[in-house]
């Protein structure tokens, strides 16, 4: 009886072990018999078309140029992906520290791509993640912004984007074309913006080579824009303002100084020119945003690898003038310039 009981107990234990083993055994998943390669590919395409993407947008500050770039980006990406893409759009109100907070939140929520609009936003995103694809826009020089040596045109890693750099040599030539009698040029910019410093350094070289005296006048934030602008007016025949976000947000304050002083401003972009300038050699920030959106679509769908995508530039630049400010200052614009709308 004891022997029979032992045999029965062993049988029960063996059955239990077999059951446990079968519960954890992997189950192979295979396509139904007769499924062709074309049908498999079609199924994969359908699955890709159904995928949803979340894109985080961090814009440094609200002004016409950056607003246009963001809108162009959203329009292009929506055109490419339709309702597959949703946007988390945040504005840092001109504070680089807010950019850090915004992009860290994007990383925590696991967005599929980050669009960084302006240099501080790009720098914050680069510090926040090395995994999520990042596209910059309205960034003048990526090598300066990201402290890259041996710049080849491609950032590498998880970063690429578009540059708003218009030809600085042509902007310098514009100053001489419009104001052939000018001897001194004041360079007005925010010293906290790395790309503004880059433009000022380059413009100083071009202007000096042309026989002009170029003097930098830098402000640190909005509080001293007017006083620094006045200092520039006091010693300059012409003022040049690069694609500077702080200046772009304070064109009214600058105009209230330069127009009464009778000193014309040549600007690096249309938004600044529209507020306080007489002329600009400008790109379309909307089209720059569109180019960035097309890059984003390729990255999200797997058509392109962000690490190998070169930074792209605006396809064309246009000479434009501010008719009202030209009339107020008695500036005559030669042929070849387009009136700003």
């Amino acid at each position: 009886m004891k022997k029979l009981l032992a045999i029965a107990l062993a049988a029960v234990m063996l059955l239990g072990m077999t059951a446990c083993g079968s519960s954890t055994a992997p189950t192979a998943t295979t396509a139904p018999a007769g499924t062709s390669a074309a049908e498999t590919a079609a199924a994969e395409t359908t699955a890709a078309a159904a995928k949803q993407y979340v894109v985080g947008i961090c814009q440094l500050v609200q002004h016409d140029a950056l607003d246009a770039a963001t809108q162009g980006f959203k329009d292009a990406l929506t055109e490419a992906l339709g309702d597959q893409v949703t946007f988390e759009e945040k504005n840092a109100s001109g504070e680089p520290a807010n950019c850090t907070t915004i992009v860290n939140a994007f990383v925590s929520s696991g967005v599929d791509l980050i669009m960084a609009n302006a240099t501080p936003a790009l720098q914050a995103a680069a510090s926040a993640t090395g995994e999520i694809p990042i596209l910059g826009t309205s960034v003048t020089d990526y090598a300066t912004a990201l402290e890259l040596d041996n710049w080849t045109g491609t950032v590498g890693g998880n970063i690429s984007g578009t540059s708003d750099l218009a030809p600085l040599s042509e902007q310098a030539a514009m100053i001489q074309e419009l104001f052939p009698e000018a001897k001194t040029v004041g360079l007005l910019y925010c010293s906290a913006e790395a790309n503004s410093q880059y433009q000022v350094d380059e413009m100083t070289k071009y202007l000096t080579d042309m026989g002009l005296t170029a003097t930098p006048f830098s402000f640190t934030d909005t509080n001293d824009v007017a006083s620094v602008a006045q200092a520039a007016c006091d010693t300059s025949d012409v003022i040049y303002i690069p694609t500077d976000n702080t200046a772009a947000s304070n064109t009214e304050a600058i105009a209230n100084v330069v127009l009464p002083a009778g000193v014309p401003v040549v600007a690096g972009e249309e938004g600044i020119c529209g507020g306080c300038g007489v002329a600009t050699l400008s790109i379309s920030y909307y089209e720059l945003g569109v180019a960035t959106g097309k890059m984003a679509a390729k990255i999200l769908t797997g058509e392109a690898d962000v690490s190998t995508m070169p930074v792209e530039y605006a396809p064309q630049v246009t000479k434009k003038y501010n008719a009202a400010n030209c009339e107020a200052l008695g500036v005559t614009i030669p042929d070849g310039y387009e009136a700003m709308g």
Side-chain angles (χ1 to χ4, degrees):
M1 192 67 169
K2 290 181 180 180
K3 185 175 181 180
L4 289 173
L5 196 59
I7 292 172
L9 182 59
V12 170
M13 291 176 65
L14 182 60
L15 287 171
M17 291 174 65
T18 303
C20 290
S22 64
S23 68
T24 58
T27 302
T29 302
T30 58
T35 301
S36 67
E39 289 172 330
T40 301
E44 291 175 351
T45 300
T46 301
K51 185 172 181 180
Q52 297 296 306
Y53 305 99
V54 178
V55 174
I57 298 175
C58 178
Q59 180 174 318
L60 173 64
V61 67
Q62 183 177 4
H63 64 67
D64 290 347
L66 299 191
D67 291 348
T70 292
Q71 191 60 54
F73 175 81
K74 292 167 63 179
D75 288 351
L77 195 48
T78 300
E79 181 178 352
L81 298 178
D83 59 8
Q84 285 182 257
V85 61
T86 56
F87 301 99
E88 292 185 14
E89 187 175 348
K90 303 293 183 181
N91 193 295
S93 302
E95 296 293 336
N98 290 344
C99 290
T100 300
T101 301
I102 291 168
V103 295
N104 282 340
F106 288 160
V107 173
S108 295
S109 64
V111 298
D112 296 293
L113 182 142
I114 296 173
M115 193 278 266
N117 194 346
T119 299
L122 175 66
Q123 292 169 329
S127 296
T129 178
E131 302 296 329
I132 298 173
I134 298 168
L135 289 178
T137 195
S138 311
V139 176
T140 303
D141 182 66
Y142 281 72
T144 299
L146 300 174
E147 299 182 347
L148 303 175
D149 295 326
N150 303 317
W151 173 244
T152 62
T154 302
V155 178
N158 65 322
I159 299 173
S160 188
T162 56
S163 168
D164 63 357
L165 180 63
L168 296 175
S169 59
E170 294 181 32
Q171 292 184 11
M174 175 184 284
I175 292 174
Q176 194 167 58
E177 176 186 36
L178 294 175
F179 307 103
E181 303 301 320
K183 302 297 181 184
T184 57
V185 180
L187 306 171
L188 183 65
Y189 70 105
C190 179
S191 58
E193 297 189 31
N195 280 312
S196 294
Q197 185 67 61
Y198 167 80
Q199 292 172 84
V200 165
D201 291 344
E202 292 298 305
M203 280 294 288
T204 298
K205 297 174 187 176
Y206 290 124
L207 294 170
T208 301
D209 288 345
M210 293 163 57
L212 299 173
T213 299
T215 305
F217 292 89
S218 64
F219 47 84
T220 56
D221 55 37
T222 58
N223 295 321
D224 56 349
V225 169
S227 61
V228 175
Q230 185 61 61
C233 287
D234 292 342
T235 59
S236 307
D237 297 323
V238 183
I239 289 174
Y240 171 76
I241 303 177
T243 55
D244 184 286
N245 291 297
T246 308
S249 299
N250 290 272
T251 56
E252 183 177 357
I254 296 171
N256 289 339
V257 174
V258 299
L259 294 179
V263 179
V265 169
V266 173
E269 59 95 2
E270 187 172 345
I272 296 174
C273 185
C276 62
V278 295
T280 181
L281 182 68
S282 185
I283 67 169
S284 166
Y285 276 82
Y286 178 83
E287 292 301 328
L288 194 70
V290 168
T292 315
K294 291 179 178 179
M295 294 174 74
K298 292 178 180 179
I299 293 168
L300 291 172
T301 59
E303 182 180 345
D305 182 350
V306 64
S307 68
T308 62
M309 298 178 81
V311 169
E312 296 185 13
Y313 295 80
Q316 63 182 27
V317 291
T318 306
K319 287 183 174 181
K320 294 189 176 184
Y321 70 96
N322 183 326
N325 286 353
C326 286
E327 182 178 357
L329 296 175
V331 176
T332 302
I333 299 295
D335 293 338
Y337 286 72
E338 177 184 317
M340 293 172 58

